[in-house]
Amino acid sequence: MKHFTNIYDIVNLSETIKNGIELKKEPYTFSELGKHKTLVMLFFNASLRTRLSTEKAAKNLGMEVMVLNVNDTWKLEFEDGTVMDMEKSEHIKEAANVISQYADIIAVRAFPSLKDKEKDESEYVLNSFIKYATVPIINMESATSHPLQALSDVITIEELKTTNRPKVVLSWAPHPKALPQAVANSFVNIMKALPVDLTIVQPKGYELNTKITGDTIISYNQKEAFANADFVCAKNWSSYNDYGEVLNSDPSWMITQDKIGQAKFMHCLPVRRNVVVEDTVLDSNNSIVMAQANNRTYAAQIVLKSILENL
Ligand code: CP
């Protein structure tokens, strides 16, 4: 693997899932692979899980890790040909090349604006690093995708499924803020590549990009969609068509024990209790959110290992 920008960079998904589960049993097997190699992690936005699990994954492989909160440094210019006489002090051309002098791999987190759809969809932050850095780039959640989360989610499903072809439901849930579609996009993309029956359930107006959803079953009724589900993954996202808008905050879309029944509950975290999901569900034995968070390490580790093997 050269770069890891979305799930399509994974050459053999089922093999990768299997290898991730194996790595979890013996996480230090490849602790020499990353010796004298450095991962630089750049955060344009906040993170708890991605930051710690990716650092842990790199250290399990013997790597050194440096973390930079980009908002603490010079403001970056991404446009070509700009007269830089305003507040932006450094161009991405220099910044990405300089960081490459200190890094063997660069990982980047940069959320969308949710204001300019075309600009967000151009993935200009991630793609500028790919263009101007001289080392591989890992996506730690970009404007439109969160492939490390999706990989962790499928490792978790593989470990906990009790049937060969589970029914998986991705459910929109309420949230007070406008959130990106990235997690939902990557969840759908990766589920489409696996032997699962996927349903997406959402209020009207929350349809995701149809280039991503394709012929996935779409429902507008949670109760019907949750019937016989093995896994229910909850996530809020803002409207894709009315880009970045919050169209609905109806609390009846919250995930409740009554609706979810015996399905296993998934969420990428952080989650707002009693807004997205009621306490009873999150605190039940059917909640697998901790397993998902734990698997973030092995998802990152399998990706880093694949890139290190190709350096
Ligand atoms: N799920 C996830 O990416 O968590 P963080 O935003 O805390 O990294």
Side-chain angles (χ1 to χ4, degrees), residues 46-51 109 111 141 146 149 268-270 296:
S47 169
L48 188 157
R49 278 142 292 274
T50 305
R51 176 171 174 163
R109 164 165 284 200
F111 291 169
E141 188 170 344
H146 194 0
Q149 181 66 52
C268 62
L269 305 181
R296 289 296 308 272

Side-chain angles (χ1 to χ4, degrees), residues 161-189:
K161 71 183 186 186
T162 53
T163 167
N164 281 338
R165 195 175 175 89
K167 177 177 175 182
V168 178
V169 181
L170 173 64
S171 178
W172 182 93
H175 197 283
K177 288 171 67 181
L179 298 187
Q181 297 98 25
V183 168
N185 288 343
S186 289
F187 189 84
V188 172
N189 271 332

Side-chain angles (χ1 to χ4, degrees), residues 13 50-51 56 58 99 114 121 133 138 160 188 219 222-224 226 248 269 283 286 291 298:
L13 181 57
T50 305
R51 176 171 174 163
K56 184 173 161 76
I99 296 164
L114 293 179
E121 292 202 315
I138 292 179
L160 297 174
V188 172
S219 167
Q222 256 179 339
K223 210 170 170 138
E224 279 173 20
F226 288 179
N248 188 326
L269 305 181
D283 294 333
N286 280 333
Y298 309 102

